[in-house]
C-alpha cells in the first residue's frame, strides 16, 4: 500500500517462540490459545495464505487485520479485510494496523506485523513511506520528516 509506513515485523519473535516450543520450555497449550473472537474474525474477515501452520502443519494460516486509531472511534479494534484497508487509508488521516496469523485447526496465533496507514503518509515523502523502487521525493530525508512531526 502506498501510505504504509513505520512497519514492525515480528518474525524474529515468532522464531523465538517456536524455538522455545521445540526445546520443550513452552507447551503447545501456551502458544495455541486463540480466543473465539479471534477465530471468528479469521473466518469472516481473514485473508487465507499459502503458509502452513508451524504447529499442526495440516492447515494454512489466515491473516487477520485489526485497525486502531483516534478517528475510528467505535470502529477501533475491529477486524477488516485487506480490500477495505486502502479505502480507509484514503479517508482517514492515520490509523494503525495489526496483522495476526491464525490457524483455525490448532488455534495457533501470533502477531505478524504492525504498520501505520492513512492520508498523513501521502504528505510525507520520507523513506519509511515505502516509495516505489526505493526512490523518495527529493529533499525528503529523515531530518525533514522530523521537522514535520515537530510542527504538528
Amino acid at each position: 500500500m502506498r501510505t504504509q509506513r513505520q512497519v514492525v515485523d515480528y518474525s524474529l519473535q515468532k522464531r523465538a517462540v517456536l524455538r522455545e516450543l521445540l526445546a520443550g520450555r513452552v507447551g503447545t497449550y501456551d502458544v495455541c490459545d486463540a480466543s473465539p473472537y479471534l477465530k471468528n474474525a479469521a473466518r469472516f474477515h481473514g485473508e487465507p495464505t499459502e503458509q502452513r501452520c508451524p504447529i499442526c502443519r495440516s492447515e494454512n494460516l489466515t491473516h487477520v487485520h485489526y485497525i486502531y486509531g483516534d478517528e475510528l472511534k467505535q470502529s477501533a479494534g475491529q477486524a477488516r479485510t485487506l480490500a477495505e484497508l486502502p479505502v480507509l487509508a484514503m479517508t482517514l488521516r492515520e490509523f494503525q494496523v495489526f496483522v495476526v496469523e491464525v490457524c483455525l485447526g490448532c488455534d495457533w496465533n501470533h502477531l505478524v506485523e504492525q504498520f501505520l496507514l492513512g492520508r498523513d503518509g501521502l504528505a510525507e515523502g520520507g523513506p519509511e513511506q515505502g516509495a516505489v523502487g526505493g526512490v523518495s521525493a527529493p529533499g525528503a530525508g529523515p531530518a525533514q520528516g522530523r521537522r514535520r512531526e515537530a510542527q504538528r
Side-chain angles (χ1 to χ4, degrees):
M1 278 172 246
R2 236 173 82 206
T3 63
Q4 185 176 356
R5 58 199 181 276
Q6 296 183 5
V7 178
V8 179
D9 186 339
Y10 291 93
S11 58
L12 291 176
Q13 188 179 34
K14 176 182 171 181
R15 280 197 269 169
V17 168
L18 292 172
R19 194 171 30 250
E20 293 291 310
L21 179 68
L22 290 172
R25 292 186 284 270
V26 175
T28 306
Y29 292 113
D30 295 326
V31 296
C32 294
D33 59 352
S35 73
Y37 296 113
L38 178 58
K39 290 172 66 173
N40 279 336
R43 272 190 207 96
F44 298 112
H45 303 286
E47 304 291 330
T49 68
E50 294 298 318
Q51 296 174 308
R52 286 284 189 197
C53 173
I55 306 300
C56 69
R57 300 190 195 285
S58 63
E59 301 234 3
N60 287 352
L61 295 171
T62 303
H63 284 175
V64 182
H65 299 82
Y66 285 101
I67 56 171
Y68 293 90
D70 294 338
E71 287 182 272
L72 292 167
K73 297 185 176 41
Q74 293 90 357
S75 298
Q78 290 183 350
R80 297 295 177 111
T81 62
L82 194 57
E84 292 175 292
L85 294 180
V87 175
L88 287 169
M90 290 299 156
T91 57
L92 299 172
R93 286 189 57 217
E94 185 173 88
F95 62 97
Q96 194 149 20
V97 179
F98 291 85
V99 183
V100 179
E101 67 181 17
V102 182
C103 176
L104 295 172
C106 70
D107 296 347
W108 159 263
N109 63 96
H110 198 276
L111 180 62
V112 176
E113 70 177 344
Q114 74 181 56
F115 53 88
L116 288 178
L117 283 178
R119 286 189 325 241
D120 281 357
L122 293 175
E124 297 176 17
E128 70 275 356
Q129 180 178 334
V132 177
V135 179
S136 60
Q144 186 172 356
R146 282 194 294 272
R147 274 187 253 129
R148 284 191 186 128
E149 288 293 323
Q151 290 172 356
R152 288 188 192 160

